[in-house]
Amino acid sequence: MKKITLSFFSLLSIMSVAQSLSPTVSITAPGSADNFKGGYTFAYATSGTPWNGSLISFGGFANQYDTQISSAYNGNNISFRTRNGDFNVWNSWNELATKGANDFIGKQTIMGNLGIGTQAPSEKLTVSGDHQNSTILLHSSGDGVNSPANLSLWASEPQETYTGVGIGNNVRNYVTGQSFPRINTNLGGSFIRLLENQINFNLISNTGDKKLIATLSRDRFEVNGQLSSQMSSNEGGMIVLENPTKTASNTAGKWVIYNMTGNYGNALQFWNYSNDGTMSGARLRLSDDGNMALFGKFEVKEVKVTLTPTADFVFDEEYKLPELDEVEKHIKEKKHLPEIASAAQMKKEGVNIGEFQIKLLQKIEELTLYTIEQNKQLKKLQENNDRLMKEMDELKAIKK
């Protein structure tokens, strides 16, 4: 920027030799700067210059291609503009950098790389600093109703991992011995730490309480709290589990857990999908009322079914045990036991395991009662047989 400034003053020196400049005390009227040519004066900003201060205008071809330089009288700013004589118009003012700190007004264009803290910027914008101040802050001052906002980027984390970088909402990387302090202490904030082979997601309450919400590493995603998936559709929120190595036919490369409604029914459902499209559909459904449906085989080491009442009512003294003749008649006519569904009905409607187990137990208990009764009859027959045998022995003894 200093080279640009020197070149203008060199040009001014050359032009002053070739052209006589007339002095004017001052100009103030609106638009008077546009008509000021071939001279120098004190121009007020009302005349059309960007600053209150000296104005010099010089050029050739009857001043149709003048250059004007305007400088602020307080020494803080200097700008220039040129006149396009072809179209009889002035081009826009451009501000020059002339001191250690500059306030620019209007659009600024940088065609190369811009460096802050470095003389050799490698990118369009390169910010270089030590571990504490290698940061960028984007600040919104607010509008009087909404609070100001602050977005910070940092390339180091003192007292943490010096190679870590991150981005923070109302959070800095470090200030005077404190890691990740809030910029506006009246508000909470959040920040993401980009570490080596790991990304951390963090929240800070408006009281300053920090909490690690989630951690993403190479082989897992850990959540410290609830994991929520929400969608307003019949499929609802979902969790997708994929295995790219399952590419064979009739293998599920993807499983999806849905919270479904509508035509799917109100249920938590497990669906799977094959890569070749041969497999797709529900495999397990857990309804909102607690009922569960499994579309496939079910293999377990132990099943416990709780259901009341049981079949102990068979042993009640008032229970009417079916006559065996009636049971025999029912079997001949129906081809199945009384109170037990037929094979055709089981195939069509399925079997309620709990109820079926109780019915089977009822039949076993009835069979037990039949066996006990039969045992009593056998004992009675045995006693009668023994008595007859004894009487026969006594008769044989009398005959002798």
Side-chain angles (χ1 to χ4, degrees):
M1 300 302 287
K2 291 182 179 179
K3 292 182 179 179
I4 294 176
T5 304
L6 291 175
S7 65
F8 269 100
F9 282 107
S10 298
L11 178 63
L12 176 60
S13 176
I14 295 172
M15 294 300 298
S16 63
V17 175
Q19 181 179 13
S20 297
L21 302 178
S22 301
T24 300
V25 175
S26 65
I27 57 176
T28 61
S32 57
D34 292 345
N35 300 319
F36 186 77
K37 303 174 183 178
Y40 54 91
T41 186
F42 186 98
Y44 289 89
T46 56
S47 67
T49 59
W51 321 111
N52 293 322
S54 61
L55 171 68
I56 185 171
S57 183
F58 57 91
F61 295 100
N63 297 110
Q64 295 302 307
Y65 296 87
D66 265 13
T67 295
Q68 287 186 342
I69 300 176
S70 172
S71 61
Y73 73 90
N74 57 12
N76 289 333
N77 307 91
I78 183 171
S79 300
F80 78 96
R81 69 173 177 173
T82 60
R83 181 180 177 83
N84 187 339
D86 294 345
F87 297 97
N88 195 29
V89 295
W90 284 97
N91 297 316
S92 60
W93 288 98
N94 296 285
E95 185 179 0
L96 301 176
T98 60
K99 56 188 179 63
N102 297 278
D103 297 323
F104 294 99
I105 296 178
K107 296 181 179 180
Q108 311 297 324
T109 301
I110 299 175
M111 302 307 296
N113 295 340
L114 175 63
I116 300 177
T118 176
Q119 295 182 345
S122 59
E123 305 297 336
K124 291 299 182 181
L125 174 62
T126 301
V127 179
S128 180
D130 57 26
H131 286 296
Q132 183 172 345
N133 60 22
S134 54
T135 61
I136 297 176
L137 177 65
L138 304 179
H139 174 74
S140 169
S141 59
D143 55 10
V145 177
N146 300 298
S147 300
N150 297 280
L151 174 67
S152 61
L153 306 174
W154 58 80
S156 181
E157 297 179 346
Q159 294 190 170
E160 301 292 337
T161 59
Y162 285 86
T163 57
V165 302
I167 178 172
N169 173 16
N170 194 39
V171 177
R172 298 182 187 274
N173 63 332
Y174 176 84
V175 172
T176 59
Q178 182 182 5
S179 298
F180 312 116
R182 288 170 295 154
I183 299 173
N184 183 347
T185 56
N186 294 322
L187 301 175
S190 60
F191 61 99
I192 302 175
R193 300 177 62 201
L194 307 175
L195 310 176
E196 294 184 39
N197 294 315
Q198 189 178 99
I199 301 176
N200 290 347
F201 301 85
N202 306 266
L203 297 178
I204 304 180
S205 69
N206 57 1
T207 61
D209 179 47
K210 298 185 180 72
K211 182 177 181 180
L212 174 63
I213 299 300
T215 301
L216 176 63
S217 57
R218 292 178 61 88
D219 57 356
R220 67 183 181 274
F221 181 66
E222 299 177 358
V223 178
N224 299 326
Q226 296 181 351
L227 180 63
S228 177
S229 173
Q230 182 177 356
M231 184 178 298
S232 298
S233 66
N234 287 341
E235 289 78 11
M238 66 187 70
I239 299 176
V240 180
L241 305 172
E242 295 190 66
N243 187 342
T245 64
K246 298 174 69 174
T247 58
S249 179
N250 293 323
T251 60
K254 179 171 71 173
W255 279 85
V256 184
I257 305 174
Y258 299 96
N259 183 7
M260 289 182 158
T261 188
N263 296 332
Y264 297 105
N266 296 318
L268 183 69
Q269 299 196 29
F270 293 72
W271 287 51
N272 63 6
Y273 306 86
S274 61
N275 292 326
D276 58 7
T278 59
M279 179 185 297
S280 174
R283 294 294 175 261
L284 177 65
R285 182 173 62 229
L286 180 60
S287 300
D288 290 357
D289 58 8
N291 294 330
M292 185 175 69
L294 174 66
F295 305 100
K297 295 181 179 180
F298 182 59
E299 180 178 346
V300 295
K301 293 183 177 180
E302 182 178 345
V303 175
K304 182 178 182 180
V305 179
T306 57
L307 188 66
T308 57
T310 63
D312 289 347
F313 60 86
V314 173
F315 298 134
D316 193 290
E317 294 182 357
E318 297 181 358
Y319 179 73
K320 184 179 179 181
L321 187 66
E323 297 291 339
L324 286 175
D325 291 340
E326 297 176 0
V327 175
E328 180 182 12
K329 180 180 179 182
H330 185 279
I331 292 174
K332 287 182 178 180
E333 293 178 356
K334 306 293 185 179
K335 305 303 181 183
H336 61 85
L337 287 172
E339 301 182 75
I340 299 296
S342 65
Q345 184 179 354
M346 291 182 184
K347 184 177 181 181
K348 180 181 179 181
E349 301 178 3
V351 177
N352 186 312
I353 295 178
E355 294 179 357
F356 188 66
Q357 287 292 101
I358 291 177
K359 284 295 182 183
L360 290 180
L361 180 59
Q362 177 183 342
K363 296 307 170 184
I364 292 174
E365 292 180 354
E366 289 177 350
L367 181 59
T368 301
L369 292 178
Y370 290 134
T371 304
I372 292 173
E373 183 62 27
Q374 187 180 47
N375 184 60
K376 290 179 179 179
Q377 294 177 2
L378 288 174
K379 283 185 176 181
K380 189 174 182 179
L381 289 174
Q382 184 64 44
E383 290 174 355
N384 291 337
N385 185 58
D386 291 343
R387 188 177 66 256
L388 291 174
M389 291 297 295
K390 183 178 179 181
E391 290 177 353
M392 289 178 63
D393 293 338
E394 291 177 351
L395 289 174
K396 289 179 181 180
I398 293 173
K399 290 181 178 181
K400 292 179 179 180

